Amino acid sequence: MRSRKSTKKRRKPLHEAALPFCLLWMSCSFLYAEEKEALESMALLTEEAPYSIEKMLEKEPVVEAEPLTEESLAELLSISEHTLLSGEEIAASTTAGWFPDRINWSTKKKVQPPPIPLAAKPTRSLRVTVDALYFKPIQDSLKYAQTNSMSFSPPGNNIGQEFTYEPGVRGALTIPFRYDDWDLCAAYTYFHPTMPTVHKTDENQYLFMVLTQSFFPQVNNFSNVQCGEVIGNWRLKMDTLNLELKRVCLVSRSFLIKPIIGIQLTEIKQRTVVHYGNFWIVNGGIFPQGDPIPILNAQKIISANEVYGVGPEFGAEMSFLIPKNFRLFLKSVFACMFGRFNTTMKYTENLGTVSDGQIPQTLITTPYPYDQVLKVNVAGSFTMVQIQGAFAKEFRLGRKGSAEIMLGWETQFWWNLSRMNGFNQPSLTSLGSDMSLQGPFARVELNF
């Protein structure tokens, strides 16, 4: 008789039943260990104090890096033709802090950092700057005479001041202000040019004098304001003092801006001397009582215009850094000043008419012994804008010093500076006139 198969299930040994649980536990342990190690690495990266790369990889003693200053930030953003960080290196250095030495992650080899551009460094010592200027000033409304004929055909031409390039000098001293890396700069400009003398003659006496007119214009005609010779000369004396606060602001690796706020003090003097000769004078009238009407013409006109002002200024200096410590430089400054305008007009060497005392009377033209003087002293405002563009090269001098050589072009424009136009018409108010300066400049700067 066959034995009946048992319906009971065979029990598995304990170690076979626990095997799946052991495998699950070991898997979780491995995953936890890997996650813990990753979290520890992330914790090292997010610590406030910077750690060395040996600490993160081998857990060796930490070497604390120097604090992140503006100079180190300038070094981080500086450019170099020798070494540039890859994207991973920049990300790692940004996350973990800037290390004293840059590290190549692919080879784990230390690379020497590139030199810091001198222009990107905040000023830590004195800077002395000397500029050699070669400017051409142009003053409006300096018209001395007009060429023409009696019939006004052909049209006449203006006889005005000729302007040429003249030398000047500017010096500046920059001192570290020690407050949030601001610098205090004091600059003085000396520009005293004398323009060439203008000399024009006409044998037919068809030069019209535009800066003078006869004493009694109601009896004048064009003949009474004509002459055969004009001599004119103009001189300028410009002295300016600028007190400015500047600070380096890095925009990118190769571009920085220095904002400027300050005060400008200005003293500008102009002197014009015009001499008319070989007059054509027509003695033009007799009073009803029979007395002659005198005609008075000044042969020499002297104008002195002085302007004193002070006011705020603001602007910026911009530099585009190029390898090997070259840079492109641009400066723009605007100033608005308030001050005094002192103008003195002197009409001298006059010619007048007198009677010979005979009947009928004859008028004789003779020198008149008295001068006429007009003065204007008013308060007013004037503005200026200065623009510089240049190319510069910097050199290192020792461990801390540096020198810079710059060549560029500068333009200045002064609005409402002079009160000379219209001064030949005392009954009319002067509208003011403008002056401009432009020309090349060369700069040498030393940083001690």
Side-chain angles (χ1 to χ4, degrees):
M1 202 172 171
R2 295 181 180 178
S3 61
R4 187 177 296 177
K5 293 182 179 181
S6 177
T7 59
K8 290 185 177 182
K9 294 183 179 180
R10 182 175 173 269
R11 291 185 176 180
K12 295 181 180 181
L14 182 58
H15 64 278
E16 293 182 3
L19 181 59
F21 296 98
C22 293
L23 294 176
L24 180 61
W25 179 81
M26 292 177 64
S27 300
C28 294
S29 299
F30 287 135
L31 293 176
Y32 176 76
E34 292 178 359
E35 184 178 359
K36 182 178 181 181
E37 185 177 353
L39 291 175
E40 290 178 352
S41 300
M42 292 300 294
L44 291 176
L45 292 177
T46 55
E47 286 286 340
E48 292 184 358
Y51 286 81
S52 64
I53 192 64
E54 292 84 357
K55 169 69 179 178
M56 292 187 294
L57 297 180
E58 305 295 339
K59 297 185 179 180
E60 292 181 1
V62 179
V63 179
E64 185 176 355
E66 297 179 357
L68 185 64
T69 62
E70 186 170 356
E71 291 188 1
S72 61
L73 178 59
E75 182 177 358
L76 175 62
L77 296 178
S78 64
I79 60 175
S80 173
E81 71 279 10
H82 301 294
T83 304
L84 290 176
L85 293 177
S86 64
E88 296 180 357
E89 293 172 331
I90 295 175
S93 61
T94 305
T95 305
W98 181 249
F99 300 105
D101 294 325
R102 297 184 179 179
I103 296 177
N104 191 321
W105 283 63
S106 60
T107 60
K108 298 183 181 179
K109 182 180 179 180
K110 295 183 179 181
V111 181
Q112 292 296 332
I116 303 174
L118 304 179
K121 284 187 175 183
T123 304
R124 300 302 182 188
S125 57
L126 296 179
R127 287 182 182 265
V128 178
T129 304
V130 178
D131 292 356
L133 312 177
Y134 195 59
F135 287 167
K136 178 181 180 180
I138 298 178
Q139 173 64 58
D140 295 343
S141 71
L142 284 183
K143 179 181 176 181
Y144 300 148
Q146 179 82 34
T147 64
N148 216 314
S149 65
M150 295 299 292
S151 61
F152 297 95
S153 178
N157 298 319
N158 292 335
I159 300 177
Q161 180 62 54
E162 297 179 1
F163 302 99
T164 59
Y165 289 91
E166 296 293 335
V169 67
R170 177 169 51 214
L173 177 64
T174 303
I175 304 174
F177 200 52
R178 302 296 183 184
Y179 178 77
D180 195 23
D181 290 328
W182 284 87
D183 299 331
L184 177 62
C185 179
Y188 170 71
T189 302
Y190 176 91
F191 186 56
H192 290 192
T194 299
M195 295 295 102
T197 300
V198 177
H199 190 189
K200 181 69 175 179
T201 60
D202 188 349
E203 295 180 355
N204 297 321
Q205 299 173 307
Y206 286 159
L207 302 179
F208 292 95
M209 303 174 291
V210 299
L211 298 183
T212 184
Q213 53 189 345
S214 298
F215 190 75
F216 287 101
Q218 66 269 23
V219 298
N220 285 343
N221 52 44
F222 284 113
S223 298
N224 287 330
V225 292
Q226 286 183 207
C227 67
E229 183 181 28
V230 176
I231 301 175
N233 180 258
W234 177 70
R235 290 187 297 173
L236 172 67
K237 293 183 178 181
M238 174 179 286
D239 298 273
T240 62
L241 177 63
N242 300 79
L243 300 177
E244 302 172 339
L245 288 175
K246 305 179 182 180
R247 187 186 189 278
V248 175
C249 298
L250 293 171
V251 179
S252 66
R253 289 185 177 185
S254 59
F255 186 71
L256 61 90
I257 295 179
K258 284 186 178 180
I260 298 175
I261 55 175
I263 300 175
Q264 178 167 323
L265 297 89
T266 299
E267 179 187 34
I268 299 178
K269 298 180 180 180
Q270 302 182 55
R271 180 179 173 86
T272 306
V273 179
V274 181
H275 187 275
Y276 298 114
N278 191 15
F279 278 16
W280 181 317
I281 297 180
V282 177
N283 297 324
I286 299 295
F287 279 122
Q289 295 82 2
D291 296 330
I293 298 177
I295 298 177
L296 196 63
N297 292 84
Q299 298 183 91
K300 188 176 182 179
I301 299 94
I302 302 174
S303 169
N305 185 81
E306 300 179 355
V307 179
Y308 308 90
V310 59
E313 68 166 337
F314 66 92
E317 294 180 358
M318 291 164 280
S319 296
F320 181 74
L321 307 181
I322 307 175
K324 299 184 182 297
N325 284 326
F326 285 96
R327 65 172 175 141
L328 296 177
F329 174 79
L330 177 65
K331 178 181 179 180
S332 178
V333 174
F334 176 83
C336 182
M337 286 158 280
F338 182 83
R340 304 291 301 184
F341 295 84
N342 300 328
T343 302
T344 301
M345 297 299 305
K346 183 178 181 180
Y347 300 85
T348 184
E349 298 183 10
N350 296 283
L351 293 179
T353 57
V354 295
S355 174
D356 60 357
Q358 304 293 327
I359 299 177
Q361 297 179 353
T362 302
L363 300 179
I364 302 174
T365 301
T366 61
Y368 191 74
Y370 302 104
D371 299 332
Q372 294 78 46
V373 179
L374 302 177
K375 290 188 177 183
V376 177
N377 188 348
V378 297
S381 62
F382 56 98
T383 57
M384 68 84 65
V385 62
Q386 176 190 24
I387 299 177
Q388 294 178 343
F391 185 75
K393 165 65 176 176
E394 293 178 290
F395 305 90
R396 290 188 179 273
L397 298 178
R399 299 182 59 184
K400 297 183 178 180
S402 65
E404 180 183 67
I405 298 177
M406 178 181 295
L407 297 176
W409 184 271
E410 179 174 340
T411 298
Q412 298 182 20
F413 199 87
W414 300 75
W415 288 278
N416 299 326
L417 182 65
S418 175
R419 299 279 173 167
M420 291 192 300
N421 63 321
F423 60 76
N424 59 309
Q425 302 175 26
S427 61
L428 299 180
T429 303
S430 176
L431 302 178
S433 60
D434 306 327
M435 185 179 71
S436 63
L437 305 174
Q438 54 275 324
F441 71 94
R443 173 175 299 175
V444 176
E445 181 178 285
L446 298 177
N447 179 15
F448 299 100

